[in-house]
Amino acid sequence: MLEIAPVTLEGTVVRLEPLRHVHADGLREAGSCDAIWTYTASRMEDPEAYIVSALSNEREGTELPFAIIDRKSERVIGSTRFMAISPADRGLEIGSTWLTPSVWKTKVNTECKYLLLRHCFEELGCIRVQLKTDLRNQNSQRAIERIGGVREGVLRNHMLLKSGHVRDTVMFSILDREWPAVKNRLEMLLIGES
């Protein structure tokens, strides 16, 4: 059974720390570019409301939200979370991930996924971690496959976005038995990325 609790995960370029009200100004600045929200279910309109909602879900045990901090500048550069937490099934989803555009196509997202997945499989004892993305978001699909996510299928008409778009969602997963190979792959990617 999973025991999810707030934790700080430290990498070389990022630190994932429990999302709290102190991050509001940083979220506002990091999330100000419209391109971030193209494929998301909702846009972060108000960082304070975003944090209040995330903390409510954390208290209910359905999510564990993180602020993504650039270790060099100590600035907030995005957010991610554990969600769809299923303790009895020893599984969860890594999702609601967004990054400020200045760190797109850098090692930031790779290191975030490495830290989160390592925690899931090596500390929490997960047997399954899922990730999902909008069918239109080819970059996200390539990124998930690149780190070793296995495409499971498409949930058709899965979500109605605030824009009115009816989203088809591509589901991916990584299983505990796949983690050693995925971990090795991620470590090799992190060595090779700038």
Side-chain angles (χ1 to χ4, degrees), residues 97-165:
T97 303
W98 62 268
L99 294 164
T100 197
S102 65
V103 299
W104 291 358
K105 299 190 185 297
T106 69
K107 72 176 4 179
V108 165
N109 191 45
T110 305
E111 188 171 71
C112 286
K113 294 302 187 283
Y114 174 75
L115 294 170
L116 293 165
L117 288 164
R118 185 178 67 185
H119 186 70
C120 288
F121 290 114
E122 296 181 12
E123 301 301 324
L124 297 177
C126 288
I127 62 171
R128 171 191 165 82
V129 174
Q130 68 183 32
L131 304 100
K132 66 179 186 262
T133 190
D134 191 307
L135 181 64
R136 301 170 297 164
N137 192 344
Q138 296 296 313
N139 286 336
S140 181
Q141 290 177 60
R142 281 191 295 273
I144 295 168
E145 289 173 338
R146 180 175 161 268
I147 66 168
V150 175
R151 183 180 171 129
E152 296 182 321
V154 177
L155 303 178
R156 301 175 306 145
N157 282 4
H158 180 235
M159 300 171 79
L160 183 58
L161 305 186
K162 281 190 176 184
S163 67
H165 176 78

Side-chain angles (χ1 to χ4, degrees), residues 2 4 41 57 61-66 80-87 91-97 116 120 128-132 159 167:
L2 301 181
I4 307 290
N57 292 338
T62 60
E63 295 184 354
L64 183 60
F66 296 91
T80 191
R81 65 190 65 194
F82 293 149
M83 51 197 293
I85 298 168
S86 180
L92 55 76
E93 179 177 320
I94 295 173
S96 290
T97 303
L116 293 165
C120 288
R128 171 191 165 82
V129 174
Q130 68 183 32
L131 304 100
K132 66 179 186 262
M159 300 171 79
R167 173 177 143 166

Side-chain angles (χ1 to χ4, degrees), residues 19-28 44 46-59 65 67 79 81:
L19 183 66
R20 298 294 181 256
H21 289 285
V22 70
H23 299 115
D25 289 341
L27 289 175
R28 181 176 289 105
M44 181 187 63
D46 172 14
E48 284 293 343
Y50 181 84
I51 292 168
V52 166
S53 174
L55 292 179
S56 174
N57 292 338
E58 181 181 313
R59 281 189 301 278
S79 183
R81 65 190 65 194

